Amino acid sequence: MAKKQYAVIGMGRFGTSVAQSLSQMGFEVLAIDTDEHRIQEVVNIVTHAVAADSTDEEAMRAIGIRNIDVVVVAIGEDIQSSILTTLILKDLGVSTIIVKAQNELHGKVLNKIGADKVVYPERDMGLRVAHHLISPNILDFIELSDDYSIAEIKAPKAMLGKNLKQLDIRAKFRCNVMGIKSGAGMNIAPHAEDTIKEGDVLVVVGKNTDLTGLELAYSEG
Ligand code: ATP
């Protein structure tokens, strides 16, 4: 099967980072921006870079955007352009459209007009930083829904040498340990007798309020 082709529209910090990462992973990436200077800056890190306005349907048709498997719309500030671009891509028949939203309302509109996925990079990063601040042991935090998340927690000192049965995280905090990362390895079906060692990382799923309870209970490091 041929490798997926990607296009990223809007070479701000977010769009450039997405384009560069996809390129480094070995995918073909087409970068689009109205600003010639931005295009010059990314010309060496992507497969193709084109100066064009994504709200110009004819220009998008001429580029052949509908043949690209996944298009990422990374226009942040100009909400109107972001919405118009998404509509045009949808009309042209792009199969997967991922759009960066500036705020919840923008995101709602994007969902309504058929964006396949809406991302909120600033909000998500803010959430991660906040969790890391209340407990430095929190390495990552991924929202599954408004109420549920997955947290990656560096095993705090108080957990070392204890097994899952002794820690009793399920009963005490109503959270479930889905996996334990140990060095390069990953235990994806932890047993009650599995002991937590220094450097282990617990992958825990639960309600946000319960995860916060667990984070705070072990926030001392
Ligand atoms: P970041 O926070 O990721 O830096 P941002 O949210 O500030 O980005 P903008 O700076 O508004 O986003 O937009 C990112 C890029 O999108 C800019 O380089 C801008 O030139 C480009 N852009 C804006 N409108 C269009 C458009 N209609 N077609 C193509 N590119 C566009």
Side-chain angles (χ1 to χ4, degrees), residues 9-16 32-35 38 50-56 60 74-79 81-82 85 100 102 121-122:
I9 300 174
M11 290 292 112
R13 284 160 299 181
F14 175 71
T16 304
I32 299 172
D33 200 298
T34 36
D35 186 337
R38 291 270 166 109
V50 181
D53 184 345
S54 58
T55 61
D56 177 348
M60 290 303 102
I75 302 168
E77 299 271 294
D78 186 351
I79 292 180
S81 288
S82 154
T85 298
K100 169 186 155 167
Q102 187 80 352
E122 286 93 354

Side-chain angles (χ1 to χ4, degrees), residues 76-146:
E77 299 271 294
D78 186 351
I79 292 180
Q80 192 177 328
S81 288
S82 154
I83 293 170
L84 202 53
T85 298
T86 307
L87 267 177
I88 288 171
L89 296 175
K90 197 79 197 158
D91 264 5
L92 289 175
V94 172
S95 60
T96 306
I97 307 167
I98 299 168
V99 194
K100 169 186 155 167
Q102 187 80 352
N103 53 48
E104 298 285 334
L105 195 58
H106 182 195
K108 257 191 195 168
V109 175
L110 294 170
N111 278 318
K112 278 239 156 68
I113 62 174
D116 297 284
K117 188 167 172 57
V118 177
V119 294
Y120 303 85
E122 286 93 354
R123 187 198 67 183
D124 291 352
M125 192 43 87
L127 186 80
R128 283 180 186 165
V129 170
H131 278 278
H132 187 70
L133 286 175
I134 65 160
S135 169
N137 294 315
I138 305 298
L139 304 177
D140 206 351
F141 199 87
I142 301 156
E143 271 193 323
L144 299 175
S145 69
D146 283 348

Side-chain angles (χ1 to χ4, degrees), residues 12-216:
R13 284 160 299 181
F14 175 71
T16 304
S17 173
V18 172
Q20 182 163 27
S21 304
L22 288 167
S23 236
Q24 282 168 352
M25 288 177 213
F27 292 102
E28 271 193 34
V29 181
L30 165 65
I32 299 172
D33 200 298
T34 36
D35 186 337
E36 278 280 357
H37 292 106
R38 291 270 166 109
I39 288 301
Q40 286 309 319
E41 277 166 19
V42 298
V43 82
N44 292 322
I45 59 170
V46 295
T47 326
H48 308 283
V50 181
D53 184 345
S54 58
T55 61
D56 177 348
E57 185 166 348
E58 271 321 304
M60 290 303 102
R61 204 190 295 272
I63 285 173
I65 200 90
R66 67 175 303 260
N67 300 317
I68 306 273
D69 302 296
V70 181
V71 180
V72 180
V73 182
I75 302 168
E77 299 271 294
D78 186 351
I79 292 180
Q80 192 177 328
S81 288
S82 154
I83 293 170
L84 202 53
T85 298
T86 307
L87 267 177
I88 288 171
L89 296 175
K90 197 79 197 158
D91 264 5
L92 289 175
V94 172
S95 60
T96 306
I97 307 167
I98 299 168
V99 194
K100 169 186 155 167
Q102 187 80 352
N103 53 48
E104 298 285 334
L105 195 58
H106 182 195
K108 257 191 195 168
V109 175
L110 294 170
N111 278 318
K112 278 239 156 68
I113 62 174
D116 297 284
K117 188 167 172 57
V118 177
V119 294
Y120 303 85
E122 286 93 354
R123 187 198 67 183
D124 291 352
M125 192 43 87
L127 186 80
R128 283 180 186 165
V129 170
H131 278 278
H132 187 70
L133 286 175
I134 65 160
S135 169
N137 294 315
I138 305 298
L139 304 177
D140 206 351
F141 199 87
I142 301 156
E143 271 193 323
L144 299 175
S145 69
D146 283 348
D147 295 329
Y148 291 87
S149 300
I150 294 174
E152 279 194 4
I153 306 175
K154 193 174 97 196
K157 281 203 188 77
M159 283 189 188
L160 303 183
K162 299 202 172 117
N163 64 30
L164 291 179
K165 194 173 174 186
Q166 290 165 323
L167 291 171
D168 209 12
I169 290 171
R170 198 174 293 171
K172 282 189 191 152
F173 301 99
R174 295 165 297 278
C175 294
N176 211 15
V177 179
M178 297 159 61
I180 303 172
K181 285 191 196 172
S182 258
M186 173 99 187
N187 173 0
I188 53 160
H191 292 288
E193 293 73 30
D194 289 342
T195 304
I196 308 298
K197 298 181 297 299
E198 183 151 18
D200 282 358
V201 173
L202 278 69
V203 183
V204 188
V205 64
K207 255 193 162 166
N208 292 336
T209 44
D210 294 331
L211 283 169
T212 304
L214 173 67
E215 287 167 24
L216 289 172

